Structures are given as C-alpha cells and as structure tokens.
Amino acid sequence: LAPKAKLEHVYRVSGIPSKDGWRYNGLNLDEAEAVKVQPEGGIHVVTGEQQRARWVGEQNGPLPIGDAPKGFTAEIKMKVTRSTAAQRGVDFEVRVPELGQAIITVTQSSVCRIGETLRDGLDNASNQHTYRIAATPEGVFHVFRDEIWLGTRPFSTPNADPPSESAYMQWGEGAYYSQADATIVEVALDMTGAYRPENAARPEDEPMPTPSLSSPAARNVLLEGPQDPA
C-alpha cells in the first residue's frame, strides 16, 4: 500500500449531519435527540436501549462515492465514550458493489469486524483516534488505528437489507441489542486507491494479530489464513 496522509474528500462534522446531505438511518430515536453539537467541533451521539443513530452517504451525498477500480480508502475520527457490547460499538461501513462491503465497529476498548476482534485492550474513550479502511481491488481491506495496522480481512457478505443498492458509506451506532456513545469529528473518503497512513509501516512488515474465535465467521477467516497485502 502506498502512503497517503490526507484523503481526497473530508467531511468535518460540525452540526446535524442530515442538514449537510447525509441521510439519517436511525431507529426509535429522532436525529435531534441523538446528536449534541460540540462547541469545540464534532457531534456527540448518544443512544439508548433498542435505538440506532447512523448516517448514510450515497453517490450524490457529501462525500462522492462510486466506482473504485483501484480500490478505496475511508476513515473516521472519533472517541467512543461508552459501549455495552464486547464486539459491537460504533460502526463504520463502506460498500462498493463491484468490490463488496468493508465494515469495522469500534468499542471503548477494541476494534472489531462484526463478530471478530481485531485488537482489544485499547483506550478508545479518552482521546480522538482515526480508524482507516484501505480496500484493494483484490477483495481485501486493511484496518488501521492511527498509524498502527490491525489486520487484513476479506470483504464481508453484504447486509440482507442494505441502506442502499448503490455504493454507500454508513457510520454511527447501528446495533439494536447494544448501545454506544461517541464524539465524532471527521469522516473522509478517497476513491483513487487503497492507502496506508503516511507514517504507518507497510502491512507486510507488521505481524498478523490473532483473531478472536468467538464466531464461525472468525474461525473461517483464521482457517483461510491471512490475505496477501496489496
């Protein structure tokens, strides 16, 4: 992966996201109740039991998303101040139909793919951290937290009921059975290729973390072995 510090398109969260062109995709919670705009920048998102608060961007949305013949890179900058499930927190998801779906979820102390812990024992609550997905045309995506590589995984099976049939980005708290709160300050996207953070080691120079074996999907990934980096 080539290094790139700043992605091509950046959305700095400074108010109610739907006013900036994001589609609110919440459940049992009005957007105005979910969001508290922060005076220093960003929004604090709060959810309760059986509530969701997340936002969808499509081709004509705030961040241009479409075909990605060379792959894509996406990132979210936030701190997750509360989470009630071990492997589900604030979701960050990008789907490009010809490549597939890349999704991570961040709790107070871990970064996961759905059903699989990539890294735990972290402090994601005290300060802002940047979580990056670098997706290659070969069908895998790399996950970074700041400048640290957390692993490489194949694209996920698309949702049975996706928020859009076309390419989209979705971010926010998306689990019905658990809760998570976060202060989110920035979302970014680059459709020109898959890039590692500027000062990160190349993925092939990093050891592969051992995935959690808490689900059949995670066991399948382990049996398949690590994917070759781009």
Side-chain angles (χ1 to χ4, degrees):
L1 301 181
K4 192 170 189 177
K6 296 295 184 182
L7 302 187
E8 189 173 25
H9 302 283
V10 178
Y11 170 68
R12 292 180 175 85
V13 188
S14 59
I16 302 296
S18 65
K19 294 183 178 180
D20 293 328
W22 296 92
R23 174 163 58 85
Y24 182 59
N25 186 25
L27 178 69
N28 298 328
L29 182 64
D30 291 338
E31 184 182 25
E33 295 178 22
V35 170
K36 293 180 174 62
V37 178
Q38 303 298 288
E40 67 276 16
I43 58 173
H44 189 63
V45 181
V46 177
T47 62
E49 186 175 354
Q50 299 181 357
Q51 293 180 334
R52 294 173 177 164
R54 52 191 178 175
W55 291 267
V56 180
E58 299 171 87
Q59 288 178 321
N60 296 322
L63 298 178
I65 184 169
D67 296 335
K70 297 181 180 179
F72 64 83
T73 306
E75 61 185 26
I76 184 168
K77 186 175 182 180
M78 63 181 173
K79 61 179 178 181
V80 179
T81 55
R82 183 178 71 102
S83 55
T84 62
Q87 292 185 320
R88 194 69 185 267
V90 176
D91 298 343
F92 185 50
E93 171 189 359
V94 179
R95 178 176 179 264
V96 175
E98 66 266 27
L99 294 180
Q101 178 195 48
I103 180 170
I104 60 172
T105 185
V106 181
T107 74
Q108 283 180 283
S109 60
S110 64
V111 179
C112 308
R113 194 171 73 156
I114 301 299
E116 174 192 0
T117 301
L118 298 176
R119 188 71 57 90
D120 58 12
L122 303 171
D123 178 5
N124 298 329
S126 298
N127 296 294
Q128 299 285 342
H129 295 280
T130 300
Y131 303 89
R132 177 178 287 202
I133 292 171
T136 77
E138 290 74 30
V140 300
F141 63 96
H142 302 271
V143 181
F144 297 85
R145 177 184 182 266
D146 299 325
E147 296 174 352
I148 304 300
W149 178 73
L150 304 183
T152 306
R153 294 295 182 268
F155 285 105
S156 304
T157 302
N159 296 333
D161 185 23
S164 174
E165 294 299 326
S166 61
Y168 68 84
M169 171 189 283
Q170 180 168 242
W171 49 276
E173 199 286 306
Y176 180 78
Y177 58 85
S178 63
Q179 305 165 40
D181 303 339
T183 300
I184 303 170
V185 299
E186 193 173 283
V187 181
L189 181 67
D190 196 316
M191 302 299 290
T192 65
Y195 304 105
R196 60 184 168 93
E198 188 172 41
N199 296 317
R202 293 187 306 153
E204 55 265 38
D205 295 339
E206 292 276 6
M208 174 68 80
T210 302
S212 164
L213 297 181
S214 60
S215 71
R219 288 195 290 273
N220 289 339
V221 169
L222 185 62
L223 290 172
E224 290 167 7
Q227 304 295 312
D228 292 332

